[in-house]
Amino acid sequence: PLFVAPDSSTATTGNGMLEASVPDITIGNPLQYQTGTNNLVLQIGGTNDLTFAGAFTLNGNDGNKSTLYTNRWLQVTNTGLTTFSGNITDGGNGYGLGVFGGGVVALNGNDSYLGMTGITNATVLVNGSLSTSLIIVTNDGTLGGSGTVSGPVTIQSRGILNAGNQGIGTLAINNTLTFQTGSTDIVDVSQSSGNSKVTGLTSVTYAGTLAPNIISGTLSAGQTFTVFSATAESGNFSAIAGTPGAGLAWEFDPTNGVLSVVTSGPIVPNVPPRITSFSLSQGNASITATNGVNGGTYYLLGSTNVSAPISQWIPLATNVVTASGGTESFSFAGTNVYSTGSPQLFLMLSSTNN
């Protein structure tokens, strides 16, 4: 076995280092703590894929259970994938596992330790099964994978849920899922292959930001993606990041966990429409304007009081910009705006008619 052990009989804290210095390393030895009364951090560095094929026991071989140190810690700075394919257990002693350090860790075994799992500033992919009292994801930590989780999951502020193996996949959480304010759910979406999703939920509480990530294909209005399958739902995401494409928008239904692609409304230009030419002949105005946005609707408004609020200006004509995109020109030709005896009339171009 590989022992995670202190340098002396009196040490209870410190670090042990493993370095993935050559490609595709597999370590078949089991990982073991010699005692349950130390709090050593196992550091895993390097730049290559590294696999631990043996079992990993969080409890100490001496049978002693610490009342002070109940969590084991992995500091993974390895830029390759670090995989634990052996089972992680704690002998029923309630030890937990914390992962940090910025690396990516795949848990591919049938892990049955009873304590909590903490993920901060690291990515943990559950591809096997994980029985734990609670999973907490926070401070730039990410939970993903295509396996099964039995305990409740809480995504705290700056925590991320991204089901799948950093791509399309299904993560089963056979318990509750809670998003807190400031959390993020990343959903990988493909036009042809569907989307990453979470299934098996007894309940889900939505908050934070939903962040769809299009990994392939071009989406169109009417497409739907089931992101969550839950028995009960509450709350909603406070924001949906990005758009599925030009003229499109995302829409999420918290009652069924479905993300939809819908047609967005007219795009209001960043700058107001601007008149570039004007002529008046026998009461008919011909006006050319620019700064129109493709698909936008523009109105020629009239009022006898230049100081009147816009709600009191009367639409005289309408023009919808149908050009190919970008900032476009449009016109109002031959619009009757004046007749003999009419009071003085002021004109305005607007992207709203009231």
Side-chain angles (χ1 to χ4, degrees):
L2 292 177
F3 292 115
V4 184
D7 291 333
S8 70
S9 61
T10 59
T12 57
T13 62
N15 302 314
M17 167 66 79
L18 288 169
E19 189 82 11
S21 57
V22 297
D24 299 325
I25 304 169
T26 297
I27 298 175
N29 308 68
L31 278 172
Q32 297 179 355
Y33 281 83
Q34 283 189 309
T35 175
T37 58
N38 71 61
N39 193 37
L40 300 180
V41 175
L42 177 58
Q43 296 177 325
I44 302 172
T47 58
N48 296 281
D49 291 349
L50 172 63
T51 298
F52 294 93
F56 184 13
T57 53
L58 304 182
N59 55 295
N61 291 347
D62 57 6
N64 292 326
K65 184 180 186 302
S66 170
T67 57
L68 179 62
Y69 305 127
T70 57
N71 289 327
R72 305 304 198 184
W73 297 95
L74 297 177
Q75 182 180 10
V76 182
T77 59
N78 182 23
T79 57
L81 176 64
T82 300
T83 301
F84 290 85
S85 58
N87 298 337
I88 304 177
T89 61
D90 70 346
N93 287 308
Y95 283 91
L97 181 65
V99 184
F100 67 104
V104 180
V105 176
L107 303 181
N108 292 356
N110 297 317
D111 304 327
S112 58
Y113 57 91
L114 301 180
M116 67 164 287
T117 301
I119 306 170
T120 178
N121 187 31
T123 296
V124 173
L125 305 175
V126 179
N127 293 324
S129 62
L130 176 58
S131 299
T132 184
S133 62
L134 174 67
I135 296 178
I136 294 179
V137 186
T138 189
N139 292 338
D140 302 318
T142 299
L143 172 65
S146 298
T148 301
V149 172
S150 298
V153 176
T154 298
I155 312 297
Q156 295 183 342
S157 178
R158 288 175 53 197
I160 301 168
L161 179 66
N162 185 10
N165 289 297
Q166 300 179 316
I168 303 300
T170 299
L171 178 65
I173 299 177
N174 298 327
N175 211 299
T176 62
L177 170 61
T178 302
F179 290 98
Q180 295 184 351
T181 301
S183 63
T184 300
D185 180 60
I186 297 176
V187 181
D188 294 312
V189 176
S190 166
Q191 189 274 333
S192 59
S193 302
N195 60 283
S196 59
K197 65 189 70 175
V198 179
T199 62
L201 294 167
T202 56
S203 69
V204 56
T205 301
Y206 299 112
T209 299
L210 180 62
N213 175 39
I214 302 173
I215 61 176
S216 66
T218 301
L219 305 185
S220 57
Q223 288 187 274
T224 60
F225 305 93
T226 300
V227 180
F228 299 96
S229 296
T231 302
E233 310 87 3
S234 61
N236 199 0
F237 292 107
S238 60
I240 303 179
T243 68
L248 301 174
W250 296 112
E251 185 174 88
F252 179 73
D253 186 346
T255 65
N256 58 16
V258 173
L259 177 68
S260 302
V261 180
V262 299
T263 302
S264 63
I267 302 173
V268 177
N270 293 327
V271 291
R274 182 172 63 87
I275 296 174
T276 55
S277 68
F278 175 84
S279 64
L280 181 65
S281 175
Q282 297 181 344
N284 292 314
S286 295
I287 302 171
T288 301
T290 189
N291 291 346
V293 172
N294 184 30
T297 302
Y298 297 90
Y299 301 89
L300 178 64
L301 307 180
S303 175
T304 57
N305 179 7
V306 72
S307 301
I310 192 171
S311 60
Q312 296 178 14
W313 289 64
I314 299 172
L316 303 176
T318 302
N319 197 309
V320 177
V321 177
T322 57
S324 58
T327 300
E328 308 292 346
S329 298
F330 57 101
S331 64
F332 298 90
T335 301
N336 190 298
V337 296
Y338 178 80
S339 59
T340 302
S342 295
Q344 187 180 39
L345 183 68
F346 300 94
L347 301 176
M348 176 193 301
L349 294 186
S350 176
S351 57
T352 179
N353 66 351
N354 54 46

